[in-house]
Each structure stands twice: as C-alpha cells, then as structure tokens.
Amino acid sequence: GDGGGDDAPTLKESGDVPGGVEKYTTAAAARASLVKSIIELSKSPTFGTRQLYVRACGHLVHQIPPEAFREHFMEPLCSLVDDNVSNVRLGVAQVLRHNVLVALRDDAAAAAALDKLKKDKHADVAAYAGGDVAPLREGAPVHVMATCVRGGGGSGG
C-alpha cells in the first residue's frame, strides 16, 4: 500500500452507500429536503394530499420548535384557507383551532387565517373555525362524519 490512512473511509468509498454522501452531506441538508417534501404536499393537485399536509401540520406543531413551525409550515397551511375544496378548508379550521392555536398561543397568522375561515361560504367550515358547532353544545348526538357528509347529494329532505 501507499502507507497510512487505509482504515479511514474516503469520499470515494462513501459513494458505495445508497444515496451517497454527496446527496446529503449534512443533517441540515437532509432536514431541508424533508421540510421541502412536506411543504410540497400542500401544493398537490390532489385534495387528499393537501389534506394530508393539513393533518401533518396538526402533529408537527406539537413536535418541533414553534419558530421552526412558523418558519416552514405556517404560510403553506394558512394558504389553504382559500382551497377550493371545502373538506380541505374544514381540516385547516380544525387544525388551526385545536392544534396550532393551542401550541402557538396568540399566533397572528393562525388567528387571521381562522378569522377568514369564520366567514367561509360553507357553513360547516365557518362553524368549526368559529367554534360555533351548536349541535354539540346543545347535547344533540351528532357524528362528525354526518357533519362532513351533510348536503352531499344523498336522499332525504
């Protein structure tokens, strides 16, 4: 051999690792890639994927530092208050009210987004955003799924 350093891994050897060191040279780069992938969910043409982003935010807000959530995930979440699918907006209202504003008290962006949803054209979205889910307060047995499906073109009258 050429002497010395034979037992130290080299950058060339690391190329044998799937993905390689070149792809993620640091934990910060890996974290940035993960954050970007999560945010991309909010921009999906598929409403179910956008709902997945909303649910992910509901969990992330309790798992990462508040400033990290605000920096990376708040703006895409708040942008979904204008989603054309009411179930996405309903999810945003629920997550803002029950997760984001619980974890990040007095967050101006979340409060503004929730205020906008209180005026939503869809009654259920407005009700969840404003906390005005009257049937639950009156003690009437209402199932969440019945609320989401109501007016969905079924029989009844």
Side-chain angles (χ1 to χ4, degrees):
D2 56 328
D6 287 336
D7 56 353
T10 64
L11 192 55
K12 183 177 181 184
E13 289 170 353
S14 70
D16 298 334
V17 177
V21 173
E22 296 83 8
K23 189 170 181 181
Y24 297 122
T25 55
T26 66
R31 196 168 27 253
S33 177
L34 178 61
V35 166
K36 182 180 178 194
S37 296
I38 294 169
I39 291 169
E40 287 301 312
L41 298 174
S42 73
K43 301 171 186 166
S44 171
T46 308
F47 83 92
T49 304
R50 294 191 307 275
Q51 286 180 306
L52 180 62
Y53 176 79
V54 172
R55 285 190 220 111
C57 285
H59 295 288
L60 282 169
V61 74
H62 299 292
Q63 303 299 321
I64 65 175
E67 53 284 351
F69 185 85
R70 284 186 181 104
E71 178 185 346
H72 299 293
F73 303 110
M74 185 67 84
E75 190 279 324
L77 178 64
C78 290
S79 74
L80 292 173
V81 301
D82 295 317
D83 199 275
N84 36 350
V85 177
S86 62
N87 278 348
V88 173
R89 297 190 314 273
L90 181 73
V92 172
Q94 291 172 323
V95 165
L96 285 174
R97 192 162 166 237
H98 298 294
N99 300 99
V100 175
L101 286 172
V102 169
L104 311 177
R105 299 195 188 284
D106 303 321
D107 185 85
L114 203 56
D115 283 344
K116 185 170 186 174
L117 288 169
K118 288 176 186 177
K119 301 173 188 109
D120 195 271
K121 63 188 175 202
H122 195 279
D124 286 343
V125 175
Y128 274 99
D132 186 25
V133 187
L136 297 178
R137 288 201 192 120
E138 293 166 6
V142 174
H143 297 281
V144 173
M145 285 308 295
T147 320
C148 295
V149 177
R150 183 178 45 199
S155 62

